[in-house]
Amino acid sequence: MESLRWREGILEILDQTRLPLTIEYVQSSDYLAVANAIKSMQVRGAPAIGSAAAFGYAMGAREHQNLPREQFLAEMQEVKQVLASTRPTAVNLFWALDRMEKKLLEVSHLQPAEIADILLEEAKAIHQEDLELNRRMGEYGQQLIPSGARILTHCNAGALATAGFGTALGVIRAAHAAGKQVQVYADETRPLLQGARLTAFELMQDGIPVTLITDNMAGYLMRRGMVDLVIVGADRITANGDVANKIGTYGLAVLAKENKIPFYVAAPYSTVDLTLASGDDIPIEERDPREITHICGQRIAPEGVKVFNPAFDITPNYLIDAIITEKGIIRKPYKVNLQKTYGEGAK
Ligand SMILES: CSC[C@H]1O[C@H](OP(=O)(O)O)[C@H](O)[C@@H]1O
């Protein structure tokens, strides 16, 4: 099951708002449709958002390819701005758009139609690269997974959040494939239930033992010695190793520290943002109050109740035991080791 796929000139997006009950690919015919799919979370998950935006940018180029070059280039700035305005926290969105714009500028001397073809190939390359990175990350990360491990995870950092295989779930898949008999506790992850709807779905499809719990049960399991490690994804990792991830991640990290349980983050280079010094600098998306007052369209809270709905939180670096990447396992001191791995001049 792919979060998105390019089929005969059309971007098909798996509508994750309808999973797991309905498996439906929606066809996005233009970049505005892709922007709406990102904003409405039909496609979600940091790397998947990056891929979708890359294809959206390429589709924008195709839509405008009959314009004179100067007008074409001007329109492409609007395309980038619309896609960049969809969600603020996952840096993969901006990483992908910057990479697409860089490619555009490299070939801006060509005819718009030629540029559009080149941009489509770049979007395909971003998508394929993410899949390859996830598999590499999985191989490195599974070295941290003892046989028989009972793993707690939060939200969905699986194939549905990426171009395939997953980041945190990619590590779990690789451990399972290596014969390590892992079992997973999946936080349901209020308010949008990515854990209940997506992670449980993915792991059951793969035959990986998964038990669904509510978010407020995590502490109970950890204190009772039912969890050997926690592994989550990320939406942005800053230069000092602070991590933005789905709301509730910070609480899990505190509970893990309190119970002396290893806490791991899995993410590719496109999630690392060395331009930000710390997690305090990461914009945190606030979403529609209806995501909290309603479930499946059914009101569960009083009309008019005040709501606060931050979609992410920040886990400070001292609570993170290792960051699993496609280049290996990164440990403290994160500022030094992230710079060494991803900074200027890194190999
Ligand atoms: C592999 S990154 C997945 C990451 O994205 C999720 O957020 P959302 O579902 O709102 O896009 C969550 O933070 C996951 O850890």
Side-chain angles (χ1 to χ4, degrees):
M1 194 170 318
E2 297 170 278
S3 56
L4 52 114
R5 61 194 186 197
W6 184 258
R7 284 275 165 88
E8 287 139 38
I10 294 273
L11 182 65
E12 295 184 342
I13 290 175
L14 177 58
D15 182 351
Q16 297 190 37
T17 65
R18 305 194 65 192
L19 287 176
L21 304 183
T22 303
I23 298 175
E24 182 187 16
Y25 282 86
V26 293
Q27 296 198 334
S28 296
S29 50
D30 57 43
Y31 84 91
L32 288 174
V34 176
N36 290 333
I38 295 170
K39 192 159 182 59
S40 65
M41 295 178 64
Q42 285 180 306
V43 57
R44 38 63 51 199
I49 290 172
S51 277
F55 279 110
Y57 189 87
M59 291 161 74
R62 191 175 59 177
E63 289 165 55
H64 295 115
Q65 66 181 0
N66 296 322
L67 293 172
R69 183 184 297 116
E70 288 319 306
Q71 209 177 330
F72 169 81
L73 294 174
E75 288 294 340
M76 288 309 295
Q77 290 180 24
E78 169 71 7
V79 169
K80 183 181 182 186
Q81 191 279 324
V82 166
L83 289 163
S85 67
T86 52
R87 298 186 74 190
T89 304
V91 69
N92 311 61
L93 171 65
F94 310 100
W95 167 83
L97 290 170
D98 287 346
R99 175 167 161 177
M100 294 298 287
E101 184 173 67
K102 181 169 178 284
K103 178 57 73 177
L104 168 70
L105 297 176
E106 284 170 7
V107 297
S108 57
H109 58 286
L110 298 177
Q111 290 308 312
E114 294 173 290
I115 295 171
D117 290 344
I118 290 167
L119 289 175
L120 177 57
E121 292 312 306
E122 189 70 5
K124 291 177 182 176
I126 286 174
H127 194 67
Q128 181 56 36
E129 178 191 85
D130 184 57
L131 180 57
E132 290 158 11
L133 297 183
N134 291 338
R135 290 193 179 281
R136 236 181 281 161
M137 208 183 314
E139 284 316 307
Y140 281 119
Q142 68 88 16
Q143 296 166 24
L144 296 173
I145 313 290
S147 194
R150 299 157 302 166
I151 304 168
L152 178 68
T153 192
H154 191 68
C155 197
N156 172 260
L160 293 169
T162 64
F165 200 66
T167 57
L169 294 198
V171 171
I172 290 171
R173 286 189 162 101
H176 179 74
K180 293 190 173 180
Q181 305 302 317
V182 296
Q183 55 177 298
V184 179
Y185 289 106
D187 275 356
E188 65 173 357
T189 315
R190 281 275 295 157
L192 293 180
L193 305 174
Q194 289 93 324
R197 296 186 302 108
L198 308 178
T199 293
F201 184 58
E202 282 198 46
L203 294 178
M204 289 179 73
Q205 294 259 324
D206 285 9
I208 297 174
V210 57
T211 302
L212 179 60
I213 61 171
T214 60
D215 302 329
N216 51 11
M217 293 176 186
Y220 174 88
L221 273 78
M222 288 197 229
R223 185 168 164 75
R224 288 196 55 173
M226 297 169 69
V227 175
D228 299 306
L229 62 100
V230 180
I231 185 165
V232 298
D235 293 82
R236 197 181 301 225
I237 300 173
T238 54
N240 70 341
D242 290 349
V243 167
N245 197 52
K246 183 53 50 192
I247 190 78
T249 302
Y250 170 56
L252 278 187
V254 171
L255 285 166
K257 182 66 76 183
E258 162 68 15
N259 290 280
K260 299 179 175 49
I261 294 170
F263 185 89
Y264 301 129
V265 174
Y269 78 99
S270 49
T271 306
V272 176
D273 181 359
L274 297 182
T275 70
L276 296 186
S278 82
D280 297 340
D281 305 322
I282 300 175
I284 299 296
E285 178 184 19
E286 289 187 30
R287 291 185 63 86
D288 185 336
R290 282 177 59 91
E291 292 181 354
I292 293 181
T293 58
H294 292 66
I295 292 186
C296 300
Q298 181 66 42
R299 172 175 287 282
I300 57 163
E303 184 89 35
V305 67
K306 277 182 74 177
V307 172
F308 180 43
N309 184 16
F312 301 95
D313 61 22
I314 302 300
T315 298
N317 55 43
Y318 60 84
L319 293 175
I320 298 167
D321 292 291
I323 299 175
I324 300 161
T325 76
E326 76 286 346
K327 290 199 170 181
I329 312 289
I330 299 178
R331 293 190 184 270
K332 302 180 181 86
Y334 292 122
K335 189 170 167 60
V336 169
N337 291 330
L338 283 168
Q339 184 64 32
K340 206 182 288 179
T341 307
Y342 292 120
E344 290 294 312
K347 293 183 194 55

